[in-house]
Amino acid sequence: MDRIEEITTDELQKKLEAGEKPELVDVREDEEVTSGMIPGARHIRMGTIPENLDKFNKDTEYIIICRSGNRSGNVCHYLQEQGYKVRNMAGGMMNWQGKTE
């Protein structure tokens, strides 16, 4: 398996504070996202990623987010195998110190 690029929560926070608008995809379950998502993130549950591939663009890099970084890592492997550019947010929402909505 090819190595998955990672981004730390601090690196992502700096990008957002600098005004960048990375494509964020939160793959947690519905009940998990009720506790808050990173502003601008799209919610696509892990189990529904294969049927939602039409929502992804192969020219865009996506940062995949979950609670701890494990599920998002699995999603990253899957999407990368399909030809998409992805980065896993290391540590997931457990490490996120920034704003949520």
Side-chain angles (χ1 to χ4, degrees):
M1 248 189 257
D2 288 339
R3 200 175 146 277
I4 297 297
E5 293 284 323
E6 289 195 333
I7 185 168
T8 67
T9 52
D10 289 342
E11 288 169 332
L12 179 55
Q13 180 82 33
K14 286 185 177 83
K15 282 181 175 288
L16 295 172
E17 287 170 357
E20 290 184 45
K21 299 210 179 306
E23 287 290 330
L24 309 175
V25 179
D26 193 319
V27 297
R28 294 177 296 159
E29 295 299 317
D30 294 340
E31 61 275 6
E32 291 177 286
V33 297
T34 59
S35 63
M37 288 173 46
I38 298 172
R42 282 191 296 164
H43 180 223
I44 304 174
R45 292 187 333 275
M46 177 180 176
T48 67
I49 292 288
E51 66 211 47
N52 281 293
L53 288 178
D54 60 334
K55 296 190 170 116
F56 294 88
N57 181 330
K58 291 194 176 175
D59 296 326
T60 302
E61 181 181 78
Y62 297 90
I63 297 172
I64 310 298
I65 302 162
C66 73
R67 188 181 70 85
S68 68
N70 289 332
R71 282 176 289 174
S72 54
N74 289 333
V75 170
C76 284
H77 280 291
Y78 173 77
L79 287 172
Q80 191 166 282
E81 286 169 3
Q82 308 306 311
Y84 296 94
K85 296 181 219 161
V86 290
R87 292 175 90 180
N88 188 21
M89 187 174 90
M93 290 301 286
M94 290 171 56
N95 281 5
W96 181 252
Q97 301 297 314
K99 288 190 299 191
T100 59
E101 58 184 26

XYZ file of all heavy atoms in Angstrom:
805
model
N 0.836 -1.207 0.000
C 0.000 0.000 0.000
C 0.867 1.252 0.000
O 1.859 1.311 0.731
C -0.890 0.006 1.247
C -2.355 -0.171 0.928
S -3.391 0.108 2.368
C -3.788 -1.565 2.795
N 0.523 2.205 -0.795
C 1.278 3.455 -0.814
C 1.069 4.205 0.488
O 0.028 4.125 1.116
C 0.811 4.343 -1.978
C 1.259 3.791 -3.310
O 2.217 2.995 -3.341
O 0.641 4.140 -4.319
N 2.099 4.943 0.868
C 2.025 5.741 2.079
C 1.013 6.876 1.910
O 0.928 7.481 0.847
C 3.417 6.343 2.333
C 3.608 6.781 3.742
C 5.063 7.248 3.936
N 5.035 8.344 4.892
C 4.777 9.604 4.584
N 4.560 9.962 3.349
N 4.757 10.535 5.509
N 0.279 7.137 2.978
C -0.712 8.214 2.964
C -0.073 9.466 3.567
O 0.512 9.405 4.646
C -1.961 7.815 3.790
C -2.668 6.604 3.170
C -2.922 8.989 3.948
C -3.236 6.817 1.789
N -0.185 10.572 2.852
C 0.282 11.849 3.394
C -0.583 12.225 4.584
O -1.787 11.969 4.586
C 0.162 12.956 2.336
C 1.084 12.784 1.144
C 2.522 13.138 1.464
O 2.759 14.082 2.224
O 3.403 12.428 0.940
N 0.035 12.849 5.568
C -0.719 13.309 6.735
C -0.565 14.815 6.886
O 0.382 15.406 6.378
C -0.226 12.618 8.013
C -0.593 11.161 8.085
C -0.429 10.585 9.488
O 0.410 11.096 10.266
O -1.149 9.620 9.792
N -1.508 15.389 7.586
C -1.426 16.795 7.978
C -1.771 16.815 9.466
O -2.682 16.108 9.902
C -2.377 17.691 7.150
C -2.165 19.159 7.514
C -3.836 17.270 7.294
C -2.847 20.147 6.557
N -1.010 17.583 10.237
C -1.331 17.671 11.663
C -2.460 18.672 11.867
O -2.743 19.504 11.000
C -0.105 18.130 12.493
O 0.193 19.484 12.136
C 1.106 17.227 12.254
N -3.092 18.581 13.027
C -4.171 19.524 13.318
C -3.612 20.943 13.372
O -4.276 21.878 12.936
C -4.875 19.160 14.640
O -3.910 19.009 15.673
C -5.657 17.864 14.493
N -2.380 21.100 13.865
C -1.770 22.436 13.907
C -1.534 22.990 12.504
O -1.767 24.172 12.243
C -0.440 22.411 14.679
C -0.637 22.216 16.181
O -1.759 22.434 16.674
O 0.348 21.854 16.854
N -1.050 22.136 11.595
C -0.817 22.572 10.210
C -2.132 22.994 9.560
O -2.189 24.015 8.857
C -0.177 21.449 9.392
C 1.269 21.176 9.744
C 1.805 19.897 9.112
O 1.012 18.948 8.852
O 3.010 19.844 8.884
N -3.187 22.214 9.791
C -4.482 22.551 9.214
C -4.998 23.856 9.802
O -5.503 24.725 9.074
C -5.493 21.423 9.439
C -6.897 21.685 8.895
C -6.872 22.034 7.414
C -7.802 20.498 9.162
N -4.844 24.025 11.101
C -5.279 25.254 11.771
C -4.596 26.476 11.136
O -5.241 27.477 10.837
C -4.909 25.161 13.263
C -5.305 26.371 14.079
C -6.757 26.338 14.490
O -7.300 25.276 14.722
N -7.377 27.477 14.553
N -3.288 26.363 10.884
C -2.536 27.476 10.276
C -3.048 27.788 8.871
O -3.166 28.946 8.491
C -1.039 27.153 10.257
C -0.399 27.247 11.628
C 1.108 27.048 11.551
C 1.766 27.216 12.906
N 1.723 26.007 13.731
N -3.349 26.742 8.093
C -3.888 26.953 6.740
C -5.211 27.721 6.807
O -5.426 28.660 6.053
C -4.133 25.608 6.035
C -2.897 24.944 5.495
C -3.292 23.639 4.817
C -2.138 22.965 4.138
N -1.694 23.636 2.920
N -6.090 27.298 7.719
C -7.395 27.951 7.843
C -7.237 29.394 8.309
O -7.905 30.295 7.802
C -8.291 27.163 8.798
C -8.685 25.760 8.319
C -9.393 24.992 9.420
C -9.532 25.820 7.071
N -6.329 29.624 9.272
C -6.098 30.986 9.773
C -5.501 31.875 8.692
O -5.703 33.088 8.706
C -5.178 30.951 11.004
C -5.902 30.419 12.236
C -4.965 30.155 13.408
O -3.734 30.318 13.266
O -5.483 29.774 14.474
N -4.764 31.272 7.744
C -4.163 32.038 6.649
C -5.169 32.315 5.536
O -4.836 32.919 4.517
C -2.954 31.284 6.087
N -6.404 31.841 5.733
C -7.435 32.100 4.730
C -7.536 31.042 3.655
O -8.317 31.180 2.712
N -6.733 29.974 3.765
C -6.841 28.895 2.777
C -8.154 28.159 3.003
O -8.690 28.139 4.110
C -5.655 27.926 2.929
C -4.331 28.530 2.505
C -3.200 27.524 2.586
O -3.395 26.370 2.133
O -2.133 27.885 3.098
N -8.656 27.557 1.942
C -9.915 26.825 2.035
C -9.707 25.398 1.511
O -10.184 25.061 0.424
C -11.005 27.536 1.243
C -11.282 28.940 1.753
C -12.707 29.331 1.524
C -13.050 30.709 2.024
N -12.756 31.000 3.375
N -8.987 24.585 2.297
C -8.783 23.202 1.839
C -10.102 22.440 1.836
O -11.036 22.796 2.556
C -7.813 22.627 2.880
C -8.015 23.459 4.103
C -8.403 24.829 3.614
N -10.173 21.415 1.004
C -11.368 20.565 0.936
C -11.313 19.581 2.086
O -10.467 18.685 2.110
C -11.413 19.820 -0.403
C -11.768 20.691 -1.572
C -13.219 21.145 -1.552
O -14.085 20.418 -1.037
O -13.483 22.240 -2.071
N -12.200 19.752 3.046
C -12.245 18.901 4.224
C -13.443 17.963 4.133
O -14.547 18.398 3.829
C -12.379 19.757 5.495
C -11.375 20.895 5.658
C -11.719 21.724 6.892
C -9.962 20.360 5.751
N -13.204 16.680 4.415
C -14.285 15.695 4.413
C -14.250 14.958 5.746
O -13.265 14.311 6.085
C -14.143 14.698 3.243
C -15.264 13.668 3.280
C -14.134 15.430 1.904
N -15.331 15.094 6.506
C -15.471 14.441 7.807
C -16.217 13.137 7.586
O -17.348 13.138 7.116
C -16.248 15.361 8.762
C -16.188 14.926 10.204
O -16.278 13.701 10.453
O -16.088 15.794 11.084
N -15.565 12.005 7.918
C -16.158 10.695 7.623
C -16.753 10.021 8.864
O -17.083 8.837 8.844
C -15.126 9.747 6.950
C -14.684 10.322 5.617
C -13.930 9.468 7.851
N -16.944 10.785 9.940
C -17.532 10.213 11.156
C -19.019 9.926 10.957
O -19.635 10.384 10.005
C -17.342 11.180 12.333
C -15.862 11.360 12.708
C -15.679 12.364 13.810
N -16.105 13.694 13.368
C -16.441 14.687 14.182
N -16.419 14.522 15.488
N -16.809 15.860 13.694
N -19.576 9.188 11.909
C -20.999 8.866 11.880
C -21.826 10.099 12.241
O -21.313 11.044 12.850
C -21.305 7.716 12.839
C -20.655 6.393 12.438
C -21.126 5.891 11.073
O -22.334 5.963 10.784
O -20.269 5.454 10.281
N -23.108 10.061 11.900
C -24.007 11.192 12.137
C -23.971 11.668 13.586
O -23.868 12.864 13.850
C -25.448 10.835 11.765
C -25.616 10.593 10.267
O -24.754 11.050 9.490
O -26.599 9.951 9.888
N -24.055 10.727 14.533
C -24.105 11.129 15.943
C -22.780 11.745 16.416
O -22.761 12.541 17.343
C -24.515 9.954 16.850
C -23.597 8.761 16.846
C -23.858 7.755 15.714
O -24.695 8.017 14.819
O -23.196 6.712 15.726
N -21.677 11.394 15.754
C -20.378 11.960 16.141
C -20.242 13.420 15.711
O -19.646 14.215 16.424
C -19.240 11.142 15.528
C -19.101 9.756 16.103
C -18.005 8.971 15.406
O -18.226 8.549 14.246
O -16.943 8.811 16.007
N -20.777 13.754 14.545
C -20.601 15.124 14.053
C -21.498 16.116 14.792
O -21.283 17.314 14.693
C -20.795 15.251 12.522
C -19.753 14.431 11.784
C -22.185 14.873 12.093
N -22.464 15.630 15.555
C -23.302 16.557 16.324
C -22.477 17.294 17.384
O -22.857 18.365 17.823
C -24.486 15.837 17.002
O -23.977 14.838 17.878
C -25.421 15.218 15.986
N -21.323 16.731 17.766
C -20.455 17.400 18.748
C -19.619 18.504 18.099
O -18.901 19.208 18.789
C -19.536 16.380 19.428
O -18.681 15.783 18.471
N -19.725 18.651 16.775
C -19.038 19.740 16.081
C -18.120 19.255 14.986
O -17.485 18.207 15.102
N -18.093 20.040 13.916
C -17.212 19.775 12.780
C -16.358 21.009 12.535
O -16.731 22.109 12.918
C -18.039 19.494 11.508
C -18.743 18.147 11.528
S -19.880 17.900 10.124
C -18.955 18.424 8.711
N -15.234 20.814 11.872
C -14.392 21.942 11.488
C -15.181 22.764 10.474
O -15.754 22.198 9.533
C -13.060 21.450 10.888
C -12.279 20.653 11.945
C -12.225 22.631 10.372
C -11.051 19.951 11.416
N -15.267 24.097 10.661
C -16.019 24.926 9.717
C -15.577 24.679 8.269
O -14.384 24.643 7.982
C -15.709 26.355 10.158
C -15.371 26.223 11.614
C -14.682 24.892 11.746
N -16.548 24.493 7.395
C -16.258 24.270 5.980
C -16.147 22.812 5.597
O -16.094 22.487 4.413
N -16.101 21.909 6.582
C -15.980 20.483 6.264
C -17.304 19.946 5.741
O -18.370 20.381 6.153
C -15.549 19.702 7.502
N -17.205 19.001 4.804
C -18.388 18.291 4.312
C -18.477 16.971 5.055
O -17.458 16.325 5.298
C -18.248 17.981 2.815
C -18.526 19.169 1.947
C -18.642 18.749 0.504
N -17.356 18.207 0.045
C -17.198 17.488 -1.052
N -18.216 17.197 -1.805
N -16.015 17.059 -1.417
N -19.687 16.571 5.393
C -19.884 15.305 6.095
C -20.311 14.233 5.108
O -21.379 14.329 4.503
C -20.952 15.494 7.191
C -21.228 14.248 7.959
N -22.499 13.844 8.296
C -20.395 13.298 8.445
C -22.425 12.712 8.963
N -21.159 12.357 9.063
N -19.443 13.238 4.917
C -19.775 12.058 4.109
C -19.336 10.851 4.944
O -18.140 10.628 5.109
C -19.051 12.057 2.740
C -19.340 13.336 1.959
C -19.465 10.827 1.926
C -18.540 13.470 0.666
N -20.291 10.125 5.503
C -19.955 8.998 6.380
C -19.053 7.985 5.665
O -19.217 7.723 4.485
C -21.218 8.291 6.874
C -22.046 9.134 7.823
C -23.216 8.387 8.452
N -23.756 7.262 7.681
C -24.672 7.377 6.725
N -25.158 8.559 6.393
N -25.115 6.309 6.092
N -18.126 7.417 6.438
C -17.173 6.453 5.889
C -17.861 5.378 5.049
O -17.417 5.071 3.951
C -16.385 5.801 7.028
C -15.413 4.740 6.579
S -14.544 4.051 7.991
C -13.594 2.769 7.195
N -18.936 4.809 5.571
C -19.610 3.722 4.875
C -20.267 4.122 3.570
O -20.636 3.258 2.774
N -20.411 5.425 3.338
C -21.073 5.877 2.110
C -20.092 6.477 1.095
O -20.515 6.959 0.045
C -22.169 6.927 2.425
O -21.559 8.119 2.924
C -23.176 6.391 3.432
N -18.799 6.433 1.398
C -17.803 7.009 0.473
C -17.893 6.387 -0.927
O -17.945 7.120 -1.919
C -16.370 6.891 1.056
C -16.208 7.800 2.292
C -15.306 7.180 0.000
C -16.147 9.284 2.045
N -17.936 5.032 -1.072
C -17.962 4.470 -2.436
C -19.116 4.988 -3.289
O -18.931 5.236 -4.485
C -18.072 2.956 -2.198
C -17.459 2.756 -0.844
C -17.852 3.982 -0.052
N -20.285 5.189 -2.700
C -21.425 5.664 -3.494
C -21.415 7.175 -3.680
O -22.262 7.718 -4.384
C -22.740 5.203 -2.865
C -23.032 5.820 -1.518
C -23.831 4.913 -0.584
O -23.493 3.732 -0.456
O -24.787 5.419 0.014
N -20.451 7.860 -3.042
C -20.364 9.318 -3.171
C -19.116 9.773 -3.930
O -18.741 10.942 -3.854
C -20.381 9.970 -1.775
C -21.784 10.041 -1.210
O -22.627 10.768 -1.719
N -22.045 9.269 -0.170
N -18.501 8.877 -4.679
C -17.286 9.249 -5.418
C -17.540 10.384 -6.409
O -16.622 11.136 -6.737
C -16.689 8.036 -6.142
C -16.016 6.998 -5.239
C -15.507 5.839 -6.074
C -14.905 7.605 -4.412
N -18.788 10.540 -6.849
C -19.103 11.629 -7.777
C -18.969 13.001 -7.110
O -18.960 14.016 -7.801
C -20.504 11.450 -8.365
C -21.601 11.446 -7.305
O -21.325 11.097 -6.139
O -22.739 11.802 -7.649
N -18.838 13.050 -5.785
C -18.669 14.318 -5.073
C -17.193 14.706 -4.953
O -16.869 15.734 -4.379
C -19.297 14.229 -3.683
C -20.803 14.030 -3.750
C -21.449 14.185 -2.401
C -22.948 14.225 -2.546
N -23.642 13.133 -1.929
N -16.313 13.854 -5.476
C -14.872 14.104 -5.414
C -14.343 14.403 -6.810
O -14.876 13.926 -7.801
C -14.144 12.885 -4.832
C -14.469 12.610 -3.391
C -15.551 11.820 -3.043
C -13.688 13.153 -2.377
C -15.857 11.568 -1.716
C -13.987 12.903 -1.046
C -15.067 12.115 -0.712
N -13.268 15.201 -6.849
C -12.639 15.585 -8.110
C -11.183 15.139 -8.048
O -10.488 15.429 -7.070
C -12.730 17.111 -8.266
C -12.125 17.613 -9.548
O -11.180 17.041 -10.096
N -12.669 18.709 -10.033
N -10.709 14.453 -9.062
C -9.342 13.922 -9.033
C -8.274 15.016 -9.102
O -7.108 14.752 -8.843
C -9.148 12.891 -10.138
C -9.962 11.641 -9.843
C -9.603 10.460 -10.679
C -10.416 9.259 -10.201
N -10.252 8.072 -10.993
N -8.658 16.241 -9.431
C -7.693 17.349 -9.488
C -7.593 18.096 -8.160
O -6.811 19.029 -8.037
C -8.079 18.347 -10.587
C -8.022 17.706 -11.957
O -7.152 16.830 -12.170
O -8.847 18.059 -12.810
N -8.390 17.710 -7.180
C -8.452 18.414 -5.897
C -7.867 17.532 -4.806
O -8.055 16.322 -4.817
C -9.929 18.717 -5.560
O -10.478 19.488 -6.624
C -10.070 19.489 -4.259
N -7.142 18.145 -3.857
C -6.657 17.385 -2.707
C -7.674 17.500 -1.575
O -8.179 18.587 -1.301
C -5.309 17.914 -2.227
C -4.790 17.113 -1.039
C -3.470 17.625 -0.511
O -3.473 18.642 0.214
O -2.439 17.005 -0.824
N -7.961 16.371 -0.932
C -8.922 16.321 0.162
C -8.221 15.963 1.461
O -7.343 15.101 1.474
C -10.019 15.279 -0.121
C -10.825 15.641 -1.340
C -10.455 15.204 -2.602
C -11.939 16.469 -1.234
C -11.170 15.572 -3.730
C -12.661 16.845 -2.358
C -12.266 16.380 -3.597
O -12.973 16.757 -4.709
N -8.620 16.629 2.530
C -8.148 16.282 3.865
C -9.285 15.515 4.523
O -10.395 16.025 4.656
C -7.758 17.539 4.662
C -6.588 18.245 3.966
C -7.407 17.168 6.115
C -6.231 19.599 4.537
N -8.987 14.268 4.907
C -9.999 13.374 5.445
C -9.882 13.372 6.978
O -8.789 13.253 7.528
C -9.837 11.939 4.882
C -9.722 11.968 3.341
C -10.989 11.055 5.341
C -10.917 12.515 2.599
N -11.038 13.496 7.639
C -11.093 13.682 9.089
C -12.005 12.644 9.725
O -13.094 12.370 9.205
C -11.657 15.098 9.404
C -10.783 16.166 8.765
C -11.817 15.319 10.909
C -11.472 17.520 8.641
N -11.584 12.096 10.869
C -12.472 11.270 11.689
C -12.196 11.600 13.153
O -11.629 12.639 13.465
C -12.325 9.775 11.384
S -10.812 9.033 12.009
N -12.570 10.713 14.057
C -12.397 10.995 15.481
C -10.927 10.920 15.886
O -10.412 11.809 16.539
C -13.240 10.018 16.314
C -13.267 10.350 17.798
C -14.088 9.331 18.574
N -13.416 8.033 18.629
C -12.496 7.706 19.534
N -12.143 8.564 20.461
N -11.940 6.513 19.512
N -10.231 9.837 15.488
C -8.859 9.639 15.955
C -7.823 9.557 14.844
O -6.628 9.584 15.110
C -8.784 8.352 16.781
O -8.998 7.230 15.935
N -8.267 9.439 13.599
C -7.327 9.314 12.477
C -7.264 7.918 11.891
O -6.657 7.712 10.838
N -7.897 6.930 12.541
C -7.854 5.557 12.022
C -8.806 5.351 10.844
O -8.389 4.895 9.781
C -8.178 4.542 13.126
C -7.058 4.439 14.139
O -5.894 4.672 13.824
N -7.406 4.120 15.367
N -10.073 5.686 11.033
C -11.041 5.508 9.945
C -10.682 6.388 8.754
O -10.780 5.966 7.604
C -12.463 5.824 10.415
C -13.084 4.704 11.226
C -14.434 5.109 11.750
N -14.263 6.098 12.801
C -15.251 6.740 13.398
N -16.489 6.533 13.040
N -15.012 7.599 14.351
N -10.284 7.626 9.037
C -9.922 8.519 7.925
C -8.715 7.962 7.177
O -8.622 8.104 5.954
C -9.664 9.940 8.428
O -8.709 9.951 9.467
N -7.811 7.289 7.872
C -6.675 6.647 7.203
C -7.139 5.571 6.241
O -6.646 5.459 5.113
N -8.136 4.776 6.669
C -8.697 3.741 5.791
C -9.366 4.370 4.575
O -9.218 3.877 3.450
C -9.701 2.874 6.552
C -9.032 1.974 7.569
O -7.870 1.605 7.416
N -9.748 1.640 8.621
N -10.106 5.451 4.798
C -10.769 6.153 3.685
C -9.710 6.710 2.733
O -9.857 6.629 1.511
C -11.708 7.261 4.210
C -12.201 8.142 3.065
C -12.889 6.648 4.958
N -8.625 7.253 3.286
C -7.537 7.780 2.447
C -6.964 6.688 1.545
O -6.752 6.908 0.351
C -6.427 8.369 3.310
S -6.809 9.990 4.003
N -6.707 5.496 2.107
C -6.188 4.390 1.300
C -7.154 4.058 0.164
O -6.745 3.903 -0.986
C -5.935 3.152 2.162
C -4.659 3.214 2.932
N -3.421 3.149 2.339
C -4.434 3.361 4.257
C -2.480 3.251 3.259
N -3.072 3.381 4.438
N -8.434 3.982 0.492
C -9.441 3.656 -0.522
C -9.469 4.711 -1.627
O -9.408 4.383 -2.820
C -10.827 3.514 0.125
C -11.923 3.335 -0.894
C -12.110 2.108 -1.530
C -12.750 4.396 -1.249
C -13.100 1.945 -2.488
C -13.744 4.239 -2.199
C -13.911 3.017 -2.819
O -14.878 2.864 -3.779
N -9.558 5.990 -1.219
C -9.643 7.064 -2.221
C -8.364 7.150 -3.050
O -8.421 7.378 -4.263
C -9.935 8.406 -1.537
C -11.362 8.570 -1.005
C -11.475 9.847 -0.175
C -12.386 8.580 -2.130
N -7.221 6.954 -2.414
C -5.951 7.005 -3.145
C -5.911 5.887 -4.193
O -5.462 6.101 -5.321
C -4.790 6.882 -2.155
C -3.438 7.180 -2.757
C -2.374 7.369 -1.703
O -2.293 8.420 -1.088
N -1.575 6.359 -1.472
N -6.398 4.697 -3.826
C -6.460 3.592 -4.793
C -7.371 3.921 -5.966
O -7.175 3.399 -7.070
C -6.956 2.313 -4.101
C -5.921 1.678 -3.200
C -6.495 0.578 -2.319
O -7.708 0.262 -2.439
O -5.727 0.053 -1.497
N -8.385 4.776 -5.751
C -9.303 5.174 -6.822
C -8.731 6.327 -7.653
O -9.365 6.793 -8.591
C -10.660 5.619 -6.250
C -11.321 4.646 -5.295
C -11.481 3.251 -5.869
O -11.960 3.090 -6.987
N -11.079 2.254 -5.115
N -7.549 6.836 -7.259
C -6.900 7.884 -8.030
C -7.092 9.293 -7.498
O -6.797 10.268 -8.189
N -7.563 9.425 -6.248
C -7.783 10.751 -5.658
C -6.587 11.171 -4.802
O -5.877 10.322 -4.266
C -9.065 10.761 -4.814
C -10.294 10.515 -5.636
C -10.814 9.239 -5.780
C -10.925 11.558 -6.305
C -11.937 8.994 -6.556
C -12.051 11.334 -7.081
C -12.546 10.048 -7.201
O -13.649 9.815 -7.977
N -6.407 12.500 -4.682
C -5.346 13.062 -3.836
C -5.921 13.297 -2.446
O -6.894 14.041 -2.306
C -4.854 14.403 -4.398
C -4.208 14.299 -5.757
C -3.741 15.663 -6.195
C -3.999 15.830 -7.674
N -4.011 17.197 -8.109
N -5.302 12.674 -1.451
C -5.837 12.767 -0.092
C -4.719 12.941 0.928
O -3.573 12.561 0.687
C -6.654 11.499 0.274
C -7.946 11.433 -0.506
C -5.835 10.235 0.075
N -5.094 13.535 2.061
C -4.221 13.611 3.230
C -5.074 13.265 4.436
O -6.242 13.647 4.504
C -3.647 15.012 3.407
C -2.663 15.371 2.303
C -2.217 16.786 2.426
N -1.029 16.826 3.260
C -0.386 17.942 3.563
N -0.830 19.088 3.141
N 0.680 17.922 4.304
N -4.493 12.549 5.368
C -5.195 12.169 6.586
C -4.877 13.188 7.680
O -3.711 13.546 7.869
C -4.729 10.768 7.023
C -5.535 10.210 8.165
O -6.663 10.626 8.411
N -4.955 9.264 8.871
N -5.903 13.668 8.389
C -5.660 14.562 9.518
C -5.249 13.707 10.711
O -6.070 13.012 11.305
C -6.887 15.411 9.861
C -6.567 16.465 10.916
S -7.928 17.609 11.241
C -8.784 16.735 12.565
N -3.965 13.744 11.027
C -3.401 12.923 12.102
C -4.043 13.269 13.446
O -4.182 14.436 13.788
C -1.892 13.128 12.166
N -4.437 12.227 14.161
C -5.020 12.438 15.490
C -6.499 12.767 15.484
O -7.144 12.748 16.522
N -7.043 13.084 14.306
C -8.473 13.344 14.173
C -8.991 14.458 15.067
O -8.246 15.305 15.557
N -10.302 14.421 15.267
C -10.967 15.479 16.047
C -10.561 15.452 17.519
O -10.701 16.452 18.224
C -12.490 15.368 15.906
C -13.005 15.730 14.522
S -12.594 17.401 13.978
C -13.732 18.381 14.972
N -10.018 14.326 17.989
C -9.540 14.270 19.367
C -8.394 15.250 19.583
O -8.197 15.744 20.689
C -9.095 12.847 19.723
C -10.277 11.877 19.822
S -9.785 10.145 19.972
C -8.733 10.161 21.396
N -7.629 15.541 18.533
C -6.499 16.477 18.632
C -6.858 17.893 18.217
O -6.048 18.795 18.373
C -5.328 15.999 17.742
C -4.538 14.896 18.369
O -4.882 14.387 19.429
N -3.482 14.492 17.696
N -8.029 18.084 17.606
C -8.398 19.395 17.052
C -8.663 20.391 18.173
O -9.500 20.167 19.033
C -9.638 19.240 16.153
C -10.071 20.540 15.537
C -11.165 21.270 15.864
C -9.411 21.265 14.489
N -11.231 22.394 15.078
C -10.172 22.416 14.238
C -8.242 21.041 13.747
C -9.806 23.350 13.263
C -7.897 21.967 12.787
C -8.661 23.106 12.557
N -7.948 21.522 18.138
C -8.116 22.571 19.150
C -8.854 23.790 18.608
O -9.186 24.701 19.346
C -6.736 23.030 19.669
C -5.907 21.922 20.285
C -6.559 21.334 21.523
O -7.029 22.053 22.377
N -6.612 20.010 21.597
N -9.077 23.803 17.284
C -9.678 24.969 16.652
C -11.183 25.017 16.805
O -11.790 24.255 17.542
N -11.784 25.949 16.051
C -13.230 26.141 16.096
C -13.952 24.942 15.510
O -13.457 24.267 14.630
C -13.624 27.378 15.277
C -13.263 28.692 15.885
C -13.903 29.842 15.134
C -13.450 29.899 13.685
N -13.817 31.091 12.962
N -15.175 24.750 16.015
C -16.070 23.772 15.400
C -17.434 24.432 15.261
O -17.712 25.457 15.895
C -16.220 22.485 16.265
O -16.722 22.850 17.532
C -14.909 21.739 16.390
N -18.240 23.860 14.395
C -19.600 24.395 14.234
C -20.586 23.263 14.113
O -20.208 22.126 13.864
C -19.686 25.332 13.020
C -19.286 24.715 11.719
C -19.296 25.704 10.568
O -19.144 26.914 10.765
O -19.460 25.251 9.433
